[in-house]
Amino acid sequence: MAQYRTKEGDTVDYIAYKYYGNTANRIVEKIYEANPRLSDFPPMLPENILIELPEQTQTTVTSSKKVKLWD
């Protein structure tokens, strides 16, 4: 599990996007699950909090339905 130390103005969504490149696959919720004390803070986190970043599982979305943007 990786770690991240917050900087002034960080939010959990921003950290997820910065570290994982997206906020898909419930990653924000997984960060809160790995760090229950984060819910005690406002959305803009204080500086210098050490956060555990869980491993992100890869999921592949497949669909047999084709989408046409133009006919």
Side-chain angles (χ1 to χ4, degrees), residues 11-71:
T11 63
V12 175
D13 290 50
Y14 174 75
I15 294 166
Y17 186 78
K18 185 175 178 180
Y19 183 77
Y20 300 103
N22 63 61
T23 56
N25 299 329
R26 296 187 53 245
I27 196 63
V28 172
E29 288 88 355
K30 291 176 185 177
I31 292 173
Y32 276 108
E33 288 171 6
N35 302 276
R37 62 182 169 48
L38 282 182
S39 61
D40 295 339
F41 296 106
M44 292 190 98
L45 300 170
E47 192 173 0
N48 209 26
I49 296 174
L50 188 61
I51 297 175
E52 298 289 330
L53 298 173
E55 295 298 319
Q56 183 178 19
T57 57
Q58 295 292 335
T59 58
T60 304
V61 177
T62 58
S63 175
S64 59
K65 187 176 180 180
K66 294 184 179 181
V67 177
K68 293 183 180 180
L69 297 178
W70 295 277
D71 289 328

